[in-house]
Amino acid sequence: MNKATRKTIIAGNWKMNKTPDEAKALISEMAPLVKDADCDVIACVPFVDLAVAQQAAEGSNIKIGAENCHWEVSGAYTGEISATMLKAMGIEYVIIGHSERRQYFGETDVTVNKRVRAALDAGLTVILCVGELKEEREQGITAELCRMQTKVALQGVTAEEMSRIVIAYEPVWAIGTGLTATADQADEVCGIIRDVIAELYSTEVAEATTIQYGGSMNDANAEELLSKVNVDGGLIGGASLVAEKFAKIVEFASK
Ligand code: 13P
C-alpha cells in the first residue's frame, strides 16, 4: 500500500447549515488558513450557498462542491437539482449517497447508483458515501454491507471514470454523535473498500482511489486517523463549520 499514489482530500460537508452571507464569511475566514495545504481542500455547501461560496473561494485553493444531485438532466422533479446544472455553474464535486440522504430521504443503493452515473456523465467528481449502521456493526456485517453499497453504487462506472470517484467511509453510528471509529476500525473498512475496487477494476485503480473517513473527525482525532495507510482524507461535518478546526485537520493531512 502506498499513500503517495493517491490524493489526500479534506472535504467539509456543511449539511443544512449556513445562509449565503454566513457561507461567504466562513469561506473567507478559511481561505487564508488553508492556503499552504498540501492536500485538496473542498467545501460542500447547500445549493443556495454555491454561487457565493464560489465567489468567496476565488483565488484560493478551496474548491466548492454540492451535497447531492438528481439523476435526470432536467424535467418535472420539483425541488431537485441536476448534475448538469451544477456543472453549468462551474461546480466540480458532489457528495452522493450520504447516510442522511439514505436515512431521511429514501435514498437506496439503486438511486445512489443512478445519481453517480448522472454526475459522472455531467463531468463532475463524486464523493460517494458508504457505511454501516450501529446494528449492522453489532451483527458483524460491516464488511458485507460496505462491499455491497460500494458495488451497487459503482455499477456501470468504468475504470477510467474511477479517477473521478472518491469514496467516503462513514459509519452511521459515528456521524454527529461524537463517537469516532478508532483509527484501526477506519483503516480496516477503508481497506475492505479498496479491496472491492481492486476486484471490480484492478490493483492500480484501487491504489489510485482516494478513500476518506467521515464520522466525528475533528482537530483532536484527525492526526491519528489520517496516519493510517488506507485513510486518504476526511469528510467532515461539524468541524468543517469552524474555520480553525477545519484548517487544523487540513494541516494534519498536509504532513
Ligand atoms: P460529523 O463530522 O458531524 O460527524 O459528520 C460527518 C459527516 O456526515 C460528513 O459527511
Side-chain angles (χ1 to χ4, degrees), residues 11-15 95 98-100 127 129 168 170-172 174-179 213-218 234-241:
N13 172 11
W14 289 12
K15 309 192 179 184
I95 297 173
H98 192 279
S99 63
E100 286 149 17
I127 301 178
C129 301
E170 299 209 305
V172 180
I175 294 178
T177 58
L179 286 175
Y213 167 79
S216 300
M217 189 188 266
N218 57 40
L235 184 56
I236 294 127
S240 74
L241 298 171

Side-chain angles (χ1 to χ4, degrees), residues 209-223:
T209 302
T210 297
I211 304 180
Q212 303 172 308
Y213 167 79
S216 300
M217 189 188 266
N218 57 40
D219 49 330
N221 58 31
E223 187 169 26

